[in-house]
Each structure stands twice: as structure tokens, then as C-alpha cells.
Amino acid sequence: MGGHSWHALLIEHNRQHDVDVVFGELAVDNVLDRQFFQQVQTYCQQRFGLTPEDFTNVWIDANPKESRIVSFKFWPGKVRFKIVKDHFAKLSGINCVRWRLCDGDGVRRLLFAPALRATKSPRRILQSMINYHWKERRVDSYMVRTSFTDTASPYGHACDALRYMAWQRYGHRRLQDFKAA
């Protein structure tokens, strides 16, 4: 979230197969939080016939706090957030997304609907997943990948939206799988 660049992903969870499918997205620039949340609700209603009551959970960035408070009015009782306290928490979220994309047994639990290929935004989720990368720096004459993501990239917001959901919903399960291995 932020006053300059907003991104929302619509995700359906199939309990029977434990699979999440990203089936819709909305990227908007230069609007206030209230305007963005209204646009998300309008988009969901017009495109998919979904009302705020149809949502089980709405995962958001914890910052800015003011935007979080406004979101409570649009989806009362459904907004979920977790404060990313440090670099390791962010890394845990990224690894959780990677785990949903393909776990150690080769099972994919995060899928993207084919219709997302037609999204008009240049920073659509599929393009974002490809361009979301680790920062690099030159050490001697070699380029070395750091443990930090490129947060200045315009492609980070869609991936962040996905990370907030995956980390909060599945972070504990990923750790259980890791400990069991």
C-alpha cells in the first residue's frame, strides 16, 4: 500500500486440494487509500460479481497505519495484517511464497489464472513474479546477489501483496514442513 502505487490480488483457495489461484488483480497509481479500496470493491463487483461480504479475508500491508484503519471500514472483521519487523521476517515471507509456488516435493500450491496474461498494467503479477529479484552489488569484478530484494523496482508491489497473504496464512505450515524434513 502507499499513496503512489497500489496493488490488489484476488485469490481463491481450494481447500480440497490446498491450492491458491490468483484469478484477478487491480493496480492503481496516484489515488488515496479510500479511493483505492473503493476501486477494488467496484472492480470485484463489476468483474466477478463479488461483494465485500463474499470475502473471507483481506490481507494488507501493515503500513501506513492510517490506510490499515481505513481498510477496516471497507471489509469489517476481515482485514488481516502482520508487521514485518525486520529483514528476516520479509525473507520468511518471500520463502513462503516460493514454497507455495513449488515445495520440496515439487508440489505447486500457488497457481495463476491464464486470464492474468491479459492484465493491462505493465507491473502485472506475472511480470512482477519474473522481475522480482534480489539486489546485486559488485564485489571485486564479480556481481554478487545480496539477501535484499529490489524494493525500488516497480514490480515489487504485486509480489508484496502475494507475500502478505502467503506469510500470514501459511508461514507456520512452511516451518512445520521444514522441521519434518
Side-chain angles (χ1 to χ4, degrees):
M1 295 201 295
H4 64 287
S5 184
W6 300 83
H7 210 109
L9 299 174
L10 300 172
I11 303 169
E12 174 72 23
H13 177 71
N14 180 311
R15 288 180 192 215
Q16 181 181 358
H17 299 290
D18 188 29
V19 171
D20 294 306
V21 178
V22 180
F23 68 91
E25 69 178 321
L26 180 65
V28 180
D29 292 319
N30 302 316
V31 297
L32 299 174
D33 47 18
R34 183 174 304 280
Q35 294 168 311
F36 176 68
F37 298 146
Q38 185 59 58
Q39 287 184 25
V40 169
Q41 285 189 346
T42 301
Y43 169 76
C44 290
Q45 176 65 43
Q46 291 177 349
R47 181 88 192 265
F48 303 105
L50 298 171
T51 66
E53 293 76 29
D54 293 322
F55 288 84
T56 307
N57 293 294
V58 176
W59 287 278
I60 64 167
D61 188 347
N63 292 306
K65 182 179 180 181
E66 296 79 18
S67 296
R68 186 175 72 218
I69 291 168
V70 171
S71 73
F72 297 155
K73 295 176 183 171
F74 284 83
W75 298 280
K78 298 178 181 186
V79 175
R80 309 286 179 256
F81 65 92
K82 189 173 178 180
I83 296 173
V84 181
K85 294 182 180 180
D86 56 28
H87 168 71
F88 297 105
K90 183 174 183 178
L91 189 59
S92 175
I94 291 169
N95 286 334
C96 193
V97 171
R98 293 176 68 194
W99 172 75
R100 292 297 286 175
L101 283 169
C102 188
D103 69 11
D105 293 329
V107 177
R108 283 192 68 160
R109 292 188 177 98
L110 176 61
L111 306 172
F112 299 90
L116 293 176
R117 292 186 193 125
T119 303
K120 294 177 183 173
S121 171
R123 58 178 205 274
R124 60 194 186 275
I125 184 62
L126 294 175
Q127 191 65 35
S128 295
M129 293 300 289
I130 292 168
N131 288 306
Y132 195 61
H133 62 275
W134 303 105
K135 282 187 178 181
E136 294 181 343
R137 68 177 212 189
R138 187 170 297 283
V139 176
D140 294 327
S141 61
Y142 299 98
M143 291 304 290
V144 177
R145 189 181 338 177
T146 69
S147 60
F148 296 94
T149 56
D150 186 1
T151 55
S153 167
Y155 298 107
H157 295 288
C159 295
D160 288 346
L162 189 56
R163 177 171 51 92
Y164 299 136
M165 182 279 300
W167 184 45
Q168 293 175 60
R169 186 170 190 158
Y170 302 112
H172 67 287
R173 286 189 39 207
R174 183 183 147 262
L175 292 176
Q176 287 171 349
D177 276 6
F178 181 73
K179 289 176 184 176

mmCIF file of all heavy atoms in Angstrom, residues 95-136:
data_model
loop_
_atom_site.group_PDB
_atom_site.id
_atom_site.type_symbol
_atom_site.label_atom_id
_atom_site.label_comp_id
_atom_site.label_asym_id
_atom_site.label_seq_id
_atom_site.Cartn_x
_atom_site.Cartn_y
_atom_site.Cartn_z
ATOM 1 N N ASN A 95 10.173 -16.576 1.176
ATOM 2 C CA ASN A 95 10.375 -18.027 1.124
ATOM 3 C C ASN A 95 9.052 -18.786 1.219
ATOM 4 O O ASN A 95 8.912 -19.867 0.653
ATOM 5 C CB ASN A 95 11.341 -18.476 2.214
ATOM 6 C CG ASN A 95 12.767 -18.098 1.881
ATOM 7 O OD1 ASN A 95 13.126 -17.948 0.714
ATOM 8 N ND2 ASN A 95 13.579 -17.902 2.902
ATOM 9 N N CYS A 96 8.095 -18.215 1.903
ATOM 10 C CA CYS A 96 6.772 -18.842 1.987
ATOM 11 C C CYS A 96 6.089 -18.832 0.613
ATOM 12 O O CYS A 96 5.479 -19.818 0.210
ATOM 13 C CB CYS A 96 5.925 -18.121 3.030
ATOM 14 S SG CYS A 96 4.453 -19.035 3.479
ATOM 15 N N VAL A 97 6.222 -17.725 -0.117
ATOM 16 C CA VAL A 97 5.675 -17.663 -1.480
ATOM 17 C C VAL A 97 6.376 -18.697 -2.354
ATOM 18 O O VAL A 97 5.723 -19.425 -3.109
ATOM 19 C CB VAL A 97 5.809 -16.247 -2.088
ATOM 20 C CG1 VAL A 97 5.436 -16.252 -3.564
ATOM 21 C CG2 VAL A 97 4.947 -15.260 -1.319
ATOM 22 N N ARG A 98 7.682 -18.775 -2.245
ATOM 23 C CA ARG A 98 8.439 -19.756 -3.026
ATOM 24 C C ARG A 98 7.981 -21.178 -2.706
ATOM 25 O O ARG A 98 7.856 -22.014 -3.596
ATOM 26 C CB ARG A 98 9.931 -19.605 -2.753
ATOM 27 C CG ARG A 98 10.492 -18.296 -3.282
ATOM 28 C CD ARG A 98 11.928 -18.115 -2.917
ATOM 29 N NE ARG A 98 12.712 -19.108 -3.646
ATOM 30 C CZ ARG A 98 13.967 -19.394 -3.360
ATOM 31 N NH1 ARG A 98 14.579 -18.791 -2.371
ATOM 32 N NH2 ARG A 98 14.618 -20.281 -4.068
ATOM 33 N N TRP A 99 7.724 -21.443 -1.430
ATOM 34 C CA TRP A 99 7.252 -22.758 -1.001
ATOM 35 C C TRP A 99 5.888 -23.075 -1.601
ATOM 36 O O TRP A 99 5.633 -24.198 -2.022
ATOM 37 C CB TRP A 99 7.212 -22.778 0.533
ATOM 38 C CG TRP A 99 6.584 -23.986 1.140
ATOM 39 C CD1 TRP A 99 7.124 -25.234 1.243
ATOM 40 C CD2 TRP A 99 5.301 -24.045 1.761
ATOM 41 N NE1 TRP A 99 6.236 -26.072 1.900
ATOM 42 C CE2 TRP A 99 5.116 -25.358 2.230
ATOM 43 C CE3 TRP A 99 4.289 -23.113 1.980
ATOM 44 C CZ2 TRP A 99 3.964 -25.764 2.893
ATOM 45 C CZ3 TRP A 99 3.152 -23.515 2.642
ATOM 46 C CH2 TRP A 99 2.997 -24.828 3.087
ATOM 47 N N ARG A 100 4.996 -22.089 -1.661
ATOM 48 C CA ARG A 100 3.679 -22.308 -2.272
ATOM 49 C C ARG A 100 3.817 -22.509 -3.777
ATOM 50 O O ARG A 100 3.071 -23.282 -4.379
ATOM 51 C CB ARG A 100 2.732 -21.148 -1.992
ATOM 52 C CG ARG A 100 2.291 -20.992 -0.547
ATOM 53 C CD ARG A 100 1.503 -22.137 -0.011
ATOM 54 N NE ARG A 100 0.151 -22.193 -0.526
ATOM 55 C CZ ARG A 100 -0.689 -23.168 -0.261
ATOM 56 N NH1 ARG A 100 -0.349 -24.161 0.517
ATOM 57 N NH2 ARG A 100 -1.898 -23.166 -0.761
ATOM 58 N N LEU A 101 4.757 -21.822 -4.398
ATOM 59 C CA LEU A 101 4.974 -21.993 -5.838
ATOM 60 C C LEU A 101 5.469 -23.400 -6.151
ATOM 61 O O LEU A 101 5.072 -23.987 -7.155
ATOM 62 C CB LEU A 101 5.974 -20.960 -6.358
ATOM 63 C CG LEU A 101 5.433 -19.559 -6.557
ATOM 64 C CD1 LEU A 101 6.567 -18.577 -6.813
ATOM 65 C CD2 LEU A 101 4.429 -19.531 -7.703
ATOM 66 N N CYS A 102 6.344 -23.924 -5.309
ATOM 67 C CA CYS A 102 6.852 -25.279 -5.531
ATOM 68 C C CYS A 102 7.586 -25.726 -4.276
ATOM 69 O O CYS A 102 8.661 -25.214 -3.970
ATOM 70 C CB CYS A 102 7.787 -25.311 -6.738
ATOM 71 S SG CYS A 102 8.266 -26.982 -7.207
ATOM 72 N N ASP A 103 7.001 -26.672 -3.559
ATOM 73 C CA ASP A 103 7.635 -27.122 -2.318
ATOM 74 C C ASP A 103 8.744 -28.127 -2.611
ATOM 75 O O ASP A 103 9.039 -28.441 -3.766
ATOM 76 C CB ASP A 103 6.596 -27.679 -1.342
ATOM 77 C CG ASP A 103 5.966 -28.993 -1.778
ATOM 78 O OD1 ASP A 103 6.454 -29.627 -2.742
ATOM 79 O OD2 ASP A 103 4.969 -29.399 -1.150
ATOM 80 N N GLY A 104 9.352 -28.627 -1.567
ATOM 81 C CA GLY A 104 10.480 -29.550 -1.717
ATOM 82 C C GLY A 104 10.131 -30.839 -2.423
ATOM 83 O O GLY A 104 10.992 -31.507 -2.985
ATOM 84 N N ASP A 105 8.838 -31.191 -2.422
ATOM 85 C CA ASP A 105 8.400 -32.402 -3.126
ATOM 86 C C ASP A 105 7.962 -32.114 -4.555
ATOM 87 O O ASP A 105 7.450 -33.000 -5.236
ATOM 88 C CB ASP A 105 7.238 -33.052 -2.361
ATOM 89 C CG ASP A 105 7.675 -33.587 -1.015
ATOM 90 O OD1 ASP A 105 8.851 -34.000 -0.893
ATOM 91 O OD2 ASP A 105 6.856 -33.580 -0.075
ATOM 92 N N GLY A 106 8.113 -30.867 -4.984
ATOM 93 C CA GLY A 106 7.737 -30.494 -6.348
ATOM 94 C C GLY A 106 6.257 -30.202 -6.525
ATOM 95 O O GLY A 106 5.768 -30.150 -7.652
ATOM 96 N N VAL A 107 5.523 -30.001 -5.423
ATOM 97 C CA VAL A 107 4.088 -29.745 -5.495
ATOM 98 C C VAL A 107 3.835 -28.242 -5.559
ATOM 99 O O VAL A 107 4.334 -27.483 -4.730
ATOM 100 C CB VAL A 107 3.358 -30.346 -4.272
ATOM 101 C CG1 VAL A 107 1.876 -30.019 -4.317
ATOM 102 C CG2 VAL A 107 3.582 -31.845 -4.210
ATOM 103 N N ARG A 108 3.065 -27.828 -6.571
ATOM 104 C CA ARG A 108 2.670 -26.420 -6.714
ATOM 105 C C ARG A 108 1.343 -26.215 -6.013
ATOM 106 O O ARG A 108 0.381 -26.923 -6.283
ATOM 107 C CB ARG A 108 2.520 -26.044 -8.181
ATOM 108 C CG ARG A 108 3.841 -25.832 -8.866
ATOM 109 C CD ARG A 108 3.621 -25.197 -10.200
ATOM 110 N NE ARG A 108 3.141 -23.837 -9.954
ATOM 111 C CZ ARG A 108 3.199 -22.874 -10.848
ATOM 112 N NH1 ARG A 108 3.674 -23.106 -12.026
ATOM 113 N NH2 ARG A 108 2.756 -21.675 -10.570
ATOM 114 N N ARG A 109 1.304 -25.215 -5.136
ATOM 115 C CA ARG A 109 0.074 -24.889 -4.435
ATOM 116 C C ARG A 109 -0.351 -23.453 -4.688
ATOM 117 O O ARG A 109 -1.290 -22.969 -4.068
ATOM 118 C CB ARG A 109 0.257 -25.128 -2.936
ATOM 119 C CG ARG A 109 0.401 -26.586 -2.590
ATOM 120 C CD ARG A 109 0.390 -26.783 -1.092
ATOM 121 N NE ARG A 109 0.467 -28.182 -0.770
ATOM 122 C CZ ARG A 109 1.585 -28.818 -0.436
ATOM 123 N NH1 ARG A 109 2.713 -28.167 -0.374
ATOM 124 N NH2 ARG A 109 1.561 -30.098 -0.153
ATOM 125 N N LEU A 110 0.363 -22.784 -5.555
ATOM 126 C CA LEU A 110 0.030 -21.414 -5.937
ATOM 127 C C LEU A 110 0.022 -21.342 -7.459
ATOM 128 O O LEU A 110 1.040 -21.601 -8.104
ATOM 129 C CB LEU A 110 1.043 -20.430 -5.358
ATOM 130 C CG LEU A 110 0.869 -18.965 -5.744
ATOM 131 C CD1 LEU A 110 -0.482 -18.432 -5.266
ATOM 132 C CD2 LEU A 110 2.000 -18.128 -5.164
ATOM 133 N N LEU A 111 -1.153 -21.040 -7.995
ATOM 134 C CA LEU A 111 -1.327 -21.007 -9.447
ATOM 135 C C LEU A 111 -1.842 -19.631 -9.867
ATOM 136 O O LEU A 111 -2.423 -18.901 -9.055
ATOM 137 C CB LEU A 111 -2.321 -22.082 -9.882
ATOM 138 C CG LEU A 111 -2.023 -23.509 -9.418
ATOM 139 C CD1 LEU A 111 -3.193 -24.423 -9.749
ATOM 140 C CD2 LEU A 111 -0.739 -24.016 -10.027
ATOM 141 N N PHE A 112 -1.682 -19.318 -11.137
ATOM 142 C CA PHE A 112 -2.138 -18.052 -11.691
ATOM 143 C C PHE A 112 -3.083 -18.332 -12.852
ATOM 144 O O PHE A 112 -2.754 -19.114 -13.746
ATOM 145 C CB PHE A 112 -0.950 -17.221 -12.180
ATOM 146 C CG PHE A 112 0.007 -16.880 -11.075
ATOM 147 C CD1 PHE A 112 1.074 -17.716 -10.777
ATOM 148 C CD2 PHE A 112 -0.172 -15.740 -10.319
ATOM 149 C CE1 PHE A 112 1.951 -17.420 -9.747
ATOM 150 C CE2 PHE A 112 0.690 -15.429 -9.288
ATOM 151 C CZ PHE A 112 1.757 -16.273 -9.000
ATOM 152 N N ALA A 113 -4.241 -17.711 -12.835
ATOM 153 C CA ALA A 113 -5.224 -17.911 -13.901
ATOM 154 C C ALA A 113 -4.670 -17.390 -15.225
ATOM 155 O O ALA A 113 -4.013 -16.339 -15.258
ATOM 156 C CB ALA A 113 -6.522 -17.181 -13.555
ATOM 157 N N PRO A 114 -4.935 -18.099 -16.315
ATOM 158 C CA PRO A 114 -4.447 -17.663 -17.631
ATOM 159 C C PRO A 114 -4.911 -16.256 -18.014
ATOM 160 O O PRO A 114 -4.206 -15.541 -18.721
ATOM 161 C CB PRO A 114 -5.021 -18.706 -18.591
ATOM 162 C CG PRO A 114 -5.240 -19.913 -17.750
ATOM 163 C CD PRO A 114 -5.606 -19.401 -16.389
ATOM 164 N N ALA A 115 -6.070 -15.832 -17.520
ATOM 165 C CA ALA A 115 -6.582 -14.501 -17.849
ATOM 166 C C ALA A 115 -5.652 -13.384 -17.370
ATOM 167 O O ALA A 115 -5.698 -12.276 -17.898
ATOM 168 C CB ALA A 115 -7.972 -14.305 -17.246
ATOM 169 N N LEU A 116 -4.790 -13.680 -16.418
ATOM 170 C CA LEU A 116 -3.883 -12.649 -15.908
ATOM 171 C C LEU A 116 -2.830 -12.245 -16.939
ATOM 172 O O LEU A 116 -2.186 -11.218 -16.790
ATOM 173 C CB LEU A 116 -3.204 -13.117 -14.623
ATOM 174 C CG LEU A 116 -4.143 -13.280 -13.441
ATOM 175 C CD1 LEU A 116 -3.398 -13.831 -12.245
ATOM 176 C CD2 LEU A 116 -4.808 -11.962 -13.087
ATOM 177 N N ARG A 117 -2.672 -13.031 -17.970
ATOM 178 C CA ARG A 117 -1.740 -12.645 -19.036
ATOM 179 C C ARG A 117 -2.222 -11.404 -19.776
ATOM 180 O O ARG A 117 -1.433 -10.708 -20.392
ATOM 181 C CB ARG A 117 -1.576 -13.791 -20.033
ATOM 182 C CG ARG A 117 -0.866 -14.964 -19.452
ATOM 183 C CD ARG A 117 -0.597 -16.005 -20.528
ATOM 184 N NE ARG A 117 -0.184 -17.234 -19.883
ATOM 185 C CZ ARG A 117 -0.759 -18.398 -20.056
ATOM 186 N NH1 ARG A 117 -1.758 -18.522 -20.902
ATOM 187 N NH2 ARG A 117 -0.333 -19.453 -19.416
ATOM 188 N N ALA A 118 -3.522 -11.135 -19.705
ATOM 189 C CA ALA A 118 -4.106 -10.008 -20.430
ATOM 190 C C ALA A 118 -4.232 -8.746 -19.579
ATOM 191 O O ALA A 118 -4.747 -7.744 -20.049
ATOM 192 C CB ALA A 118 -5.484 -10.394 -20.962
ATOM 193 N N THR A 119 -3.761 -8.778 -18.342
ATOM 194 C CA THR A 119 -3.852 -7.599 -17.482
ATOM 195 C C THR A 119 -3.098 -6.448 -18.120
ATOM 196 O O THR A 119 -1.995 -6.614 -18.619
ATOM 197 C CB THR A 119 -3.263 -7.906 -16.083
ATOM 198 O OG1 THR A 119 -3.956 -9.022 -15.547
ATOM 199 C CG2 THR A 119 -3.405 -6.734 -15.158
ATOM 200 N N LYS A 120 -3.702 -5.267 -18.106
ATOM 201 C CA LYS A 120 -3.147 -4.124 -18.827
ATOM 202 C C LYS A 120 -1.979 -3.447 -18.123
ATOM 203 O O LYS A 120 -1.161 -2.801 -18.755
ATOM 204 C CB LYS A 120 -4.253 -3.102 -19.089
ATOM 205 C CG LYS A 120 -5.301 -3.637 -20.036
ATOM 206 C CD LYS A 120 -6.424 -2.662 -20.248
ATOM 207 C CE LYS A 120 -7.471 -3.298 -21.151
ATOM 208 N NZ LYS A 120 -8.664 -2.508 -21.275
ATOM 209 N N SER A 121 -1.875 -3.556 -16.830
ATOM 210 C CA SER A 121 -0.816 -2.880 -16.089
ATOM 211 C C SER A 121 0.549 -3.425 -16.499
ATOM 212 O O SER A 121 0.731 -4.631 -16.616
ATOM 213 C CB SER A 121 -1.002 -3.077 -14.586
ATOM 214 O OG SER A 121 0.125 -2.597 -13.893
ATOM 215 N N PRO A 122 1.538 -2.557 -16.678
ATOM 216 C CA PRO A 122 2.878 -3.045 -17.002
ATOM 217 C C PRO A 122 3.534 -3.761 -15.822
ATOM 218 O O PRO A 122 4.526 -4.442 -15.982
ATOM 219 C CB PRO A 122 3.652 -1.776 -17.364
ATOM 220 C CG PRO A 122 2.926 -0.686 -16.663
ATOM 221 C CD PRO A 122 1.478 -1.100 -16.639
ATOM 222 N N ARG A 123 2.955 -3.618 -14.638
ATOM 223 C CA ARG A 123 3.526 -4.293 -13.471
ATOM 224 C C ARG A 123 2.584 -5.383 -12.958
ATOM 225 O O ARG A 123 2.454 -5.604 -11.764
ATOM 226 C CB ARG A 123 3.880 -3.291 -12.383
ATOM 227 C CG ARG A 123 2.756 -2.455 -11.897
ATOM 228 C CD ARG A 123 3.243 -1.528 -10.784
ATOM 229 N NE ARG A 123 2.153 -1.164 -9.950
ATOM 230 C CZ ARG A 123 1.330 -0.156 -10.190
ATOM 231 N NH1 ARG A 123 1.510 0.596 -11.244
ATOM 232 N NH2 ARG A 123 0.345 0.110 -9.377
ATOM 233 N N ARG A 124 1.945 -6.074 -13.874
ATOM 234 C CA ARG A 124 1.020 -7.139 -13.528
ATOM 235 C C ARG A 124 1.746 -8.240 -12.752
ATOM 236 O O ARG A 124 2.961 -8.338 -12.786
ATOM 237 C CB ARG A 124 0.347 -7.687 -14.768
ATOM 238 C CG ARG A 124 1.300 -8.276 -15.779
ATOM 239 C CD ARG A 124 0.606 -8.475 -17.122
ATOM 240 N NE ARG A 124 1.462 -9.171 -18.043
ATOM 241 C CZ ARG A 124 2.375 -8.594 -18.805
ATOM 242 N NH1 ARG A 124 2.549 -7.293 -18.740
ATOM 243 N NH2 ARG A 124 3.119 -9.300 -19.630
ATOM 244 N N ILE A 125 0.981 -9.060 -12.077
ATOM 245 C CA ILE A 125 1.564 -10.049 -11.173
ATOM 246 C C ILE A 125 2.498 -11.015 -11.902
ATOM 247 O O ILE A 125 3.576 -11.334 -11.394
ATOM 248 C CB ILE A 125 0.488 -10.819 -10.365
ATOM 249 C CG1 ILE A 125 1.118 -11.776 -9.343
ATOM 250 C CG2 ILE A 125 -0.466 -11.572 -11.284
ATOM 251 C CD1 ILE A 125 1.960 -11.138 -8.288
ATOM 252 N N LEU A 126 2.130 -11.476 -13.078
ATOM 253 C CA LEU A 126 3.003 -12.424 -13.770
ATOM 254 C C LEU A 126 4.334 -11.774 -14.147
ATOM 255 O O LEU A 126 5.395 -12.375 -13.979
ATOM 256 C CB LEU A 126 2.302 -12.997 -15.007
ATOM 257 C CG LEU A 126 1.084 -13.862 -14.703
ATOM 258 C CD1 LEU A 126 0.392 -14.291 -15.985
ATOM 259 C CD2 LEU A 126 1.460 -15.063 -13.864
ATOM 260 N N GLN A 127 4.293 -10.558 -14.643
ATOM 261 C CA GLN A 127 5.525 -9.837 -14.961
ATOM 262 C C GLN A 127 6.299 -9.538 -13.686
ATOM 263 O O GLN A 127 7.522 -9.612 -13.649
ATOM 264 C CB GLN A 127 5.210 -8.537 -15.709
ATOM 265 C CG GLN A 127 6.419 -7.867 -16.297
ATOM 266 C CD GLN A 127 7.069 -8.691 -17.392
ATOM 267 O OE1 GLN A 127 6.388 -9.381 -18.155
ATOM 268 N NE2 GLN A 127 8.373 -8.643 -17.470
ATOM 269 N N SER A 128 5.583 -9.229 -12.631
ATOM 270 C CA SER A 128 6.225 -8.927 -11.351
ATOM 271 C C SER A 128 6.956 -10.143 -10.799
ATOM 272 O O SER A 128 8.058 -10.022 -10.265
ATOM 273 C CB SER A 128 5.187 -8.439 -10.344
ATOM 274 O OG SER A 128 4.634 -7.221 -10.760
ATOM 275 N N MET A 129 6.343 -11.306 -10.901
ATOM 276 C CA MET A 129 6.995 -12.512 -10.387
ATOM 277 C C MET A 129 8.306 -12.774 -11.123
ATOM 278 O O MET A 129 9.282 -13.216 -10.518
ATOM 279 C CB MET A 129 6.069 -13.725 -10.511
ATOM 280 C CG MET A 129 4.836 -13.665 -9.623
ATOM 281 S SD MET A 129 5.180 -13.575 -7.865
ATOM 282 C CE MET A 129 5.793 -15.204 -7.540
ATOM 283 N N ILE A 130 8.339 -12.462 -12.402
ATOM 284 C CA ILE A 130 9.566 -12.647 -13.180
ATOM 285 C C ILE A 130 10.622 -11.613 -12.793
ATOM 286 O O ILE A 130 11.804 -11.917 -12.711
ATOM 287 C CB ILE A 130 9.256 -12.554 -14.698
ATOM 288 C CG1 ILE A 130 8.408 -13.745 -15.128
ATOM 289 C CG2 ILE A 130 10.541 -12.480 -15.519
ATOM 290 C CD1 ILE A 130 7.805 -13.603 -16.512
ATOM 291 N N ASN A 131 10.188 -10.379 -12.547
ATOM 292 C CA ASN A 131 11.132 -9.281 -12.314
ATOM 293 C C ASN A 131 11.445 -9.014 -10.845
ATOM 294 O O ASN A 131 12.225 -8.131 -10.533
ATOM 295 C CB ASN A 131 10.599 -7.993 -12.948
ATOM 296 C CG ASN A 131 10.694 -8.065 -14.443
ATOM 297 O OD1 ASN A 131 11.751 -8.319 -14.995
ATOM 298 N ND2 ASN A 131 9.580 -7.849 -15.103
ATOM 299 N N TYR A 132 10.823 -9.730 -9.944
ATOM 300 C CA TYR A 132 11.092 -9.567 -8.512
ATOM 301 C C TYR A 132 12.402 -10.289 -8.236
ATOM 302 O O TYR A 132 12.473 -11.505 -8.361
ATOM 303 C CB TYR A 132 9.945 -10.192 -7.726
ATOM 304 C CG TYR A 132 9.866 -9.814 -6.267
ATOM 305 C CD1 TYR A 132 9.692 -8.501 -5.868
ATOM 306 C CD2 TYR A 132 9.918 -10.784 -5.281
ATOM 307 C CE1 TYR A 132 9.568 -8.159 -4.541
ATOM 308 C CE2 TYR A 132 9.794 -10.462 -3.943
ATOM 309 C CZ TYR A 132 9.622 -9.144 -3.582
ATOM 310 O OH TYR A 132 9.502 -8.807 -2.259
ATOM 311 N N HIS A 133 13.408 -9.554 -7.908
ATOM 312 C CA HIS A 133 14.714 -10.193 -7.774
ATOM 313 C C HIS A 133 15.516 -9.602 -6.621
ATOM 314 O O HIS A 133 15.173 -8.567 -6.062
ATOM 315 C CB HIS A 133 15.495 -10.066 -9.085
ATOM 316 C CG HIS A 133 15.776 -8.646 -9.474
ATOM 317 N ND1 HIS A 133 14.872 -7.877 -10.171
ATOM 318 C CD2 HIS A 133 16.840 -7.851 -9.239
ATOM 319 C CE1 HIS A 133 15.379 -6.676 -10.349
ATOM 320 N NE2 HIS A 133 16.551 -6.627 -9.798
ATOM 321 N N TRP A 134 16.594 -10.291 -6.323
ATOM 322 C CA TRP A 134 17.498 -9.855 -5.267
ATOM 323 C C TRP A 134 18.407 -8.754 -5.802
ATOM 324 O O TRP A 134 18.812 -8.782 -6.962
ATOM 325 C CB TRP A 134 18.344 -11.037 -4.791
ATOM 326 C CG TRP A 134 17.536 -12.188 -4.309
ATOM 327 C CD1 TRP A 134 17.317 -13.367 -4.955
ATOM 328 C CD2 TRP A 134 16.806 -12.272 -3.087
ATOM 329 N NE1 TRP A 134 16.497 -14.182 -4.218
ATOM 330 C CE2 TRP A 134 16.175 -13.531 -3.056
ATOM 331 C CE3 TRP A 134 16.621 -11.407 -2.011
ATOM 332 C CZ2 TRP A 134 15.383 -13.944 -1.987
ATOM 333 C CZ3 TRP A 134 15.826 -11.825 -0.959
ATOM 334 C CH2 TRP A 134 15.224 -13.076 -0.955
ATOM 335 N N LYS A 135 18.713 -7.803 -4.956
ATOM 336 C CA LYS A 135 19.671 -6.766 -5.343
ATOM 337 C C LYS A 135 21.032 -7.410 -5.548
ATOM 338 O O LYS A 135 21.381 -8.394 -4.908
ATOM 339 C CB LYS A 135 19.798 -5.712 -4.244
ATOM 340 C CG LYS A 135 18.684 -4.728 -4.200
ATOM 341 C CD LYS A 135 19.013 -3.654 -3.183
ATOM 342 C CE LYS A 135 17.918 -2.619 -3.149
ATOM 343 N NZ LYS A 135 18.244 -1.549 -2.187
ATOM 344 N N GLU A 136 21.781 -6.797 -6.460
ATOM 345 C CA GLU A 136 23.134 -7.274 -6.703
ATOM 346 C C GLU A 136 24.105 -6.141 -6.425
ATOM 347 O O GLU A 136 23.747 -4.967 -6.510
ATOM 348 C CB GLU A 136 23.284 -7.752 -8.147
ATOM 349 C CG GLU A 136 22.456 -8.979 -8.450
ATOM 350 C CD GLU A 136 22.629 -9.449 -9.889
ATOM 351 O OE1 GLU A 136 23.119 -8.659 -10.735
ATOM 352 O OE2 GLU A 136 22.280 -10.594 -10.176
#
